[in-house]
Amino acid sequence: MNWKPVAMFPLAALGAVSIPMVAHAAVYVSVEQAQRDMFGDQALTPSPVALTASQQDKMRDVSSVSLPFQGNRIWKAADGGWFVVDEVVGKHEMITYAVGLNADGTVRRVEILEYRESYGYEVAEAKWLAQFHGKGQEAPLKLGKDVENISGATLSSKHIADGVKRVLAMYGLVLKGI
Amino acid sequence: MSFHDPASELSQINAARAGDEIALHPWTVEVLALAKALHHASAGAFDCGVGRRLVEWSMLPRHLAARSQHALSDSSLAHMELLPGERIRIRRPICLDLGGIAKGYAVDKAVEELTAHGVASGVVNAGGDLRVLGVAAQPIHVRRPDDWRELAYLGALADGAVATSASYFSRRYQGRRWRCALVDMRTGAPIMKPSSYSVIAPTCAIADGLTKVVAADGDAASACLDRFDARAVVL
């Protein structure tokens, strides 16, 4: 028997790692909260975009995410940054996440907004998501390369990495020119 | 081992009269033997005789063949004797429930079956009572007792089992009192504390049974644990 207990007890300390586990939508973080986390008090202006078929194709090629990108959840920040909400499939259920971009198109922060699977939620941990900070369009965002795989959450971790890649591609194709 | 099935071996045990001897399936005997060992090691805190209370509190069905409460007032595993040749003798009528140990046992049997088929690693999870087969450590999360929809990460387990008992699902207001299915059999009182009791042990049947002992003691430092090479976590 090999048991490695976590060091954090009593129950109050566990608050930092407790995670909602319901298999249907578990809203970790609201859009407003994520916006505040990433941009503080800055004014955010809704800036929805409509992608052409060719842009969707390019994004699909780059990221392998086949779900069409909905451009209706994008905000522009006063400092030139962007806040984008997107979705990818985890394993069976959708994961809704937000990517904050700096004015230069690099990743400011990634947050998981809604997670519906009953496991694999390690993708929501700040430590794992921190890997995306500063990534730009040229970043491979490949599991095992510049993004660490999470054992037991391989699909979710791959799909989130792909999702961030497609948001970066979308920035290059659409937002950069706005 | 089903309490609900009136034709099960457990129901035969519960319908038996003083002096009756019953031949049982080897698995049932194995579970009862383990239950006896836990009963003894815990000085009675673990006792499958809890069936009587659970019937009284309407948490288990009252079968037609069941005794009156008076006759069962002393329902305890202590009144069941294991005999050689996979038989038992009932010294006094009892009402046993194996729900506190049989699920863990089923997990162990499943793991045995996997091993027999050459499986080197895996997890068998029976609604939270689980056993990890192999050296690849699995993350173990349990429900937070203050909000059962949330999980707390306890640690990583390889080659061992974990089981958890708590009152959050079974607690109900019945007969003008709060009750739950987790009972300290030394006193007969339900353990209503808003805590959860997890035990990590080499096998799941032991982990399952020991959660009731840890719950009765209320803390993770129960003397019983060392005896079974087990650890406990109380939230």
Side-chain angles (χ1 to χ4, degrees):
Chain A
M1 183 173 95
N2 190 337
W3 170 239
K4 286 193 176 61
V6 74
M8 301 165 70
F9 288 118
L11 185 58
L14 284 166
V17 295
S18 91
I19 297 147
M21 69 159 279
V22 285
H24 47 280
V27 184
Y28 274 116
V29 179
S30 67
V31 165
E32 296 71 33
Q33 179 64 53
Q35 287 173 338
R36 267 198 300 278
D37 289 345
M38 297 190 196
F39 293 97
D41 289 324
Q42 279 188 63
L44 291 169
T45 317
S47 310
V49 301
L51 272 63
T52 64
S54 140
Q55 286 167 332
Q56 294 271 15
D57 287 343
K58 288 206 184 88
M59 281 168 60
R60 188 174 307 125
D61 291 339
V62 151
S63 68
S64 80
V65 178
S66 52
L67 215 63
F69 178 81
Q70 314 261 30
N72 57 349
R73 293 166 297 180
I74 302 180
W75 287 257
K76 185 157 188 177
D79 68 1
W82 298 90
F83 180 85
V84 180
V85 175
D86 189 17
E87 263 148 7
V88 284
V89 171
K91 189 167 183 182
H92 308 290
E93 315 277 358
M94 301 301 292
I95 304 174
T96 308
Y97 64 104
V99 179
L101 297 174
N102 296 312
D104 65 357
T106 58
V107 174
R108 193 182 183 110
R109 187 158 160 169
V110 178
E111 278 200 51
I112 305 297
L113 301 184
E114 286 181 46
Y115 191 87
R116 297 165 182 82
E117 307 270 1
S118 53
Y119 47 80
Y121 33 71
E122 293 89 339
V123 292
E125 280 172 16
K127 205 179 59 151
W128 187 79
L129 292 169
Q131 294 177 95
F132 296 104
H133 294 178
K135 298 276 184 202
Q137 274 188 266
E138 19 19 85
L141 286 179
K142 215 174 152 70
L143 282 196
K145 203 157 174 191
D146 58 334
V147 177
E148 200 183 290
N149 186 8
I150 298 177
S151 155
T154 306
L155 285 181
S156 295
S157 38
K158 177 182 186 304
H159 295 159
I160 298 276
D162 290 343
V164 173
K165 199 161 171 136
R166 90 164 177 171
V167 170
L168 286 168
M170 191 271 306
Y171 168 83
L173 288 168
V174 187
L175 300 181
K176 198 166 172 181
I178 294 180
Chain B
M1 297 179 222
S2 164
F3 192 96
H4 299 269
D5 177 2
S8 72
E9 290 191 341
L10 180 61
S11 293
Q12 282 177 55
I13 294 170
N14 290 340
R17 288 166 305 196
D20 283 355
E21 284 184 19
I22 311 175
L24 297 170
H25 188 281
W27 290 8
T28 312
V29 173
E30 213 178 325
V31 170
L32 290 170
L34 189 51
K36 284 279 241 185
L38 285 166
H39 175 69
H40 183 74
S42 67
F46 177 89
D47 192 341
C48 298
V50 69
R52 175 226 152 192
R53 303 240 173 231
L54 300 181
V55 171
E56 193 184 308
W57 301 338
S58 305
M59 291 177 185
L60 282 177
R62 190 183 296 274
H63 292 300
L64 287 175
R67 301 270 128 48
S68 71
Q69 289 314 301
H70 176 72
L72 283 172
S73 62
D74 196 14
S75 171
S76 166
L77 208 49
H79 302 312
M80 185 210 75
E81 199 183 325
L82 292 166
L83 300 172
E86 266 134 29
R87 300 169 68 79
I88 57 159
R89 180 187 292 133
I90 303 297
R91 291 207 224 100
R92 265 195 248 182
I94 47 180
C95 181
L96 304 184
D97 174 47
L98 297 178
I101 186 173
K103 190 156 60 161
Y105 181 76
V107 169
D108 290 331
K109 283 319 231 190
V111 168
E112 268 176 44
E113 190 69 15
L114 289 173
T115 309
H117 281 84
V119 173
S121 80
V123 178
V124 177
N125 187 339
D129 292 351
L130 69 90
R131 184 161 159 190
V132 180
L133 169 64
V135 300
Q138 298 297 308
I140 303 298
H141 296 81
V142 295
R143 296 179 193 272
R144 291 178 58 131
D146 55 341
D147 185 351
W148 55 263
R149 291 159 304 174
E150 301 250 337
L151 294 184
Y153 173 69
L154 293 193
L157 178 65
D159 221 8
V162 58
T164 301
S165 287
S167 63
Y168 40 70
F169 286 148
S170 68
R171 68 163 70 116
R172 63 182 76 169
Y173 192 68
Q174 199 265 349
R176 284 192 283 171
R177 293 235 182 109
W178 277 103
R179 307 198 202 264
C180 68
L182 196 54
V183 179
D184 180 348
M185 285 305 286
R186 294 168 303 195
T187 62
I191 301 166
M192 295 306 305
K193 272 190 283 199
S195 295
S196 80
Y197 310 92
S198 301
V199 171
I200 299 98
T203 64
C204 204
I206 290 175
D208 198 0
L210 282 174
T211 60
K212 285 78 197 168
V213 179
V214 175
D217 283 340
D219 77 77
S222 178
C224 214
L225 293 169
D226 289 335
R227 200 106 136 233
F228 294 95
D229 192 18
R231 321 263 185 285
V233 176
V234 178
L235 295 188

